[in-house]
Amino acid sequence: NDTAATTGQYTPPAHHLLHSGYSNDTLRRWQSSNTELHPHNFVLPLFVTEDVSGEIPVVSMPGVSRYSIPALEQYLPSLLDDGLTSVLLFGVVPSARKDSVGSYSCAAGSPVVLAIKMIKTKFPSLTVICDVCLCAYTTHGHCGELHEDGSINNTASVNRITAQALAYAKAGADVVAPSDMMDGRVGAMKQALQREGLSGKVSVLSYAVKFSSSFYGPFRDAAESAPAFGDRRCYQLPLGSSGLAHRAAARDVAEGADMLMVKPGMPYLDLVRSVKDAFPHLPMFIYQVSGEYAMLHHGAAAGVFDLRKILSEVFTGMRRAGADVIISYYTPRVLRWLKEDH
Ligand code: PBG
Ligand code: ZN
């Protein structure tokens, strides 16, 4: 033909021909190992309240609600039916419960403790992960206790956060997940669990690689946990630092973390890959946070892309980067889609 005549025919060598390797669905699956999406790859974060008003929508996260314990009891069966295996609990309490040290985080009657007990009684097959942090319980909204000058009191914070983790462990939590970013909290928790005879039953999922991100905005609305002053840059990681990310992961592994997390998700896939490569024997979690949820929701609502297709692409990318487990507010929808595909 004409083009060939003017350009000269290029004949690629046989080993440059790739199409042959992915010409049907089965072949495409073979080329995509460890990127499959199954129900057990997803964890649903849940906001639990102590009021009795049932289900209250979170305005900044369309489709997400906060639940009272009775409302949660009504909500869970359909999710279990769709294959839900695990939840991540966050407590939300009114300001009257808050003080400068976050003492209600350890209370026997806190919404998280009550939710754990309800779930373990009514839905024992569900694996319960509990976020451990003070920011939803302190009047100042920071993740730890503070010195007079407003800086973090790391020792006092670790003590209280460890007590919070123990309260959840004793109530029946399977996994405690410190998101506070204090130094040394993983070791303190592992030791305390061991002391209490719970080390064989309760594991620690460390939010080891958690950045000081602008993607947490909608969550702070939902959990009423925004800092009253300042920001979290003295304890959450600087956005550009893969060095600190790796040091934090290595430290938490050395302190006995059972599982690791990178958070947020999409902008940090480079670290999912490199931390997974550094610690291939620990399950790697990725948290698709509130801002990512809202961004994809609004993008789909504006017609930029189809929600189901974009989520499939995003989650496949997370798995390809090395995530074993994805924490996502989209979990209920994903479970329904996975069920339809079968
Ligand atoms: C509390 C906590 C936060 C998130 C999880 N645990 C907020 C923060 O650190 O400011 C963010 C989750 C999300 O944005 O979906 N320490
Ligand atoms: Zn916090």
Side-chain angles (χ1 to χ4, degrees):
N1 68 37
D2 275 0
T3 324
T6 49
T7 62
Q9 185 77 44
Y10 173 65
T11 307
H15 63 277
H16 284 195
L17 302 177
L18 304 184
H19 290 182
S20 49
Y22 55 100
S23 60
N24 72 32
D25 275 342
T26 297
L27 287 162
R28 283 188 281 274
R29 260 182 222 133
W30 290 345
Q31 300 281 4
S32 312
S33 58
N34 292 325
T35 64
E36 305 88 356
L37 304 174
H38 300 293
H40 71 264
N41 298 120
F42 290 89
V43 173
L44 174 62
L46 288 169
F47 299 104
V48 192
T49 62
E50 63 182 25
D51 53 49
V52 285
S53 32
E55 178 185 340
I56 307 156
V58 176
V59 177
S60 55
M61 300 172 72
V64 174
S65 292
R66 304 178 193 165
Y67 295 88
S68 67
I69 311 281
L72 189 59
E73 192 176 334
Q74 299 216 309
Y75 178 47
L76 285 174
S78 66
L79 293 169
L80 281 159
D81 236 34
D82 289 342
L84 182 71
T85 61
S86 178
V87 293
L88 169 61
L89 302 181
F90 292 95
V92 188
V93 298
S95 39
R97 295 279 193 217
K98 305 189 186 193
D99 59 27
S100 65
V101 295
S103 44
Y104 204 66
S105 61
C106 308
S110 81
V112 172
V113 166
L114 299 181
I116 298 167
K117 290 184 169 164
M118 183 280 285
I119 293 171
K120 283 296 160 186
T121 311
K122 301 281 164 78
F123 312 103
S125 69
L126 207 51
T127 293
V128 177
I129 311 173
C130 296
D131 185 271
V132 179
C133 195
L134 302 185
C135 56
Y137 304 95
T138 52
T139 36
H140 47 71
H142 280 285
C143 298
E145 295 184 30
L146 305 178
H147 290 299
E148 299 257 295
D149 67 356
S151 64
I152 288 282
N153 181 340
N154 195 79
T155 308
S157 302
V158 168
N159 287 342
R160 191 168 305 273
I161 282 156
T162 303
Q164 182 187 13
L166 267 190
Y168 296 161
K170 286 178 180 167
D174 299 288
V175 183
V176 289
S179 67
D180 54 283
M181 296 300 282
M182 298 304 123
D183 280 329
R185 85 276 203 225
V186 171
M189 270 174 209
K190 291 295 286 188
Q191 225 164 57
L193 288 167
Q194 187 176 28
R195 226 172 16 240
E196 297 288 331
L198 288 165
S199 57
K201 273 195 203 140
V202 182
S203 57
V204 176
L205 160 61
S206 177
Y207 283 72
V209 184
K210 174 173 175 179
F211 288 92
S212 174
S213 171
S214 295
F215 280 104
Y216 306 149
F219 172 95
R220 293 177 187 173
D221 263 17
E224 294 177 17
S225 65
F229 59 86
D231 53 46
R232 305 203 201 287
R233 283 184 296 174
C234 288
Y235 43 105
Q236 299 181 349
L237 300 180
L239 307 183
S241 185
S242 58
L244 281 168
H246 276 270
R247 291 177 64 198
R251 182 218 30 213
D252 288 1
V253 171
E255 289 182 11
D258 297 277
M259 296 165 276
L260 291 175
M261 190 194 300
V262 170
K263 171 189 173 189
M266 233 176 359
Y268 299 93
L269 294 183
D270 56 329
L271 289 163
V272 173
R273 169 45 59 202
S274 60
V275 174
K276 180 67 183 175
D277 284 347
F279 301 103
H281 305 307
L282 275 81
M284 172 59 76
F285 285 61
I286 186 169
Y287 198 146
Q288 181 187 55
V289 299
S290 55
E292 297 177 79
Y293 173 90
M295 177 173 70
L296 295 169
H297 168 89
H298 290 299
V304 179
F305 36 61
D306 172 76
L307 186 64
R308 184 170 176 167
K309 284 191 181 143
I310 207 71
L311 286 175
S312 161
E313 183 170 343
V314 168
F315 294 142
T316 300
M318 291 174 170
R319 296 274 287 131
R320 192 186 60 240
D324 300 294
V325 186
I326 298 164
I327 300 169
S328 171
Y329 302 97
Y330 283 114
T331 295
R333 264 169 277 188
V334 175
L335 294 175
R336 254 177 277 134
W337 292 333
L338 291 176
K339 204 168 162 187
E340 277 171 35
D341 287 346
H342 268 272

